[in-house]
Amino acid sequence: MGKVVMYSSVSVDGFVADDNDQPGPLFDWLSNGEFSLDDTGAVKVSQTSYDYTRAYWDQIGVTIVGRHVFDMTDGWDGKPPGGMDHVVVVTHRPQPDGWDPEAPFHFINGIEAAVATAQQLAGDRLVEVAAGNVGGQILAAGLVDEVRMDVVPVVFGTGKRYFGTVNAQHLLEDPDVTIQGNRVLHLRYQVRR
C-alpha cells in the first residue's frame, strides 16, 4: 500500500486558513510562476516548485478530506481536484441529496475506515490527507507516514490550524526535503515511529 501523506500550504505560524476559512495569501505561490501545474493553466508556479509539486501530484491516487472542506468546495462539482482518481470524505452525514452516485467520492464514517478505504482505492499510489482537523485526527491515530508543508511567508495569528486540534506530541524526523520556491518553502518530514 502507498504512503499516507498529510499535506497543505501553511502560514509560518501554522494555519491553513483564517478564522473565516479563507486561505488569504497561502495559495499565492500557485499563481506567481511561469509553469502550469494543471491542464487549466490557472495554477502556475516557479520551475523549482513545479519540479517538486508535479512529481508529488503525479503520485497521489486518493485524497482524504473532511465534510467541512467538501461542503466549502461544493464537492468540486463531483470532479476530484488536481486530477485525483478518488476523494474520500470523512463524515457522519450521508452524501448530499441529488449527489451523482457515479462521482468518484466515497463518504465514510470514521478516520480508520476512511484511511483503509483510501489505501484500497489508491493501491501503491499515495493517499493524501488534507491538513486540518481530519488530518490531525489521522496523525493522532498513528496513520500518517509523512507530513508535507508548503510554508508561505505570512503570519495569520489565528485561524484553522494545520494539525487541527491535536493536543499530544508527535515526533517527526528531520526534514528530508527543503526546497525554496518563489514565496514558498516546500518541506517534507517522515513521521517517527
Side-chain angles (χ1 to χ4, degrees), residues 101-124:
E102 300 299 314
F105 286 71
H106 311 269
F107 298 85
I108 307 292
N109 186 353
I111 57 169
E112 289 87 359
V115 171
T117 299
Q119 286 184 312
Q120 182 180 20
L121 291 167
D124 61 353

Side-chain angles (χ1 to χ4, degrees), residues 112-173:
E112 289 87 359
V115 171
T117 299
Q119 286 184 312
Q120 182 180 20
L121 291 167
D124 61 353
R125 296 179 74 198
L126 294 179
V127 172
E128 178 183 65
V129 178
N133 282 331
V134 167
Q137 291 173 39
I138 293 171
L139 176 74
L143 301 173
V144 171
D145 300 305
E146 185 176 281
V147 172
R148 288 182 181 234
M149 301 174 151
D150 296 324
V151 181
V152 177
V154 62
V155 174
F156 276 17
T158 64
K160 309 296 180 173
R161 295 192 148 298
Y162 181 93
F163 291 104
T165 57
V166 168
N167 59 4
Q169 187 177 75
H170 297 274
L171 291 177
L172 306 176
E173 298 296 340

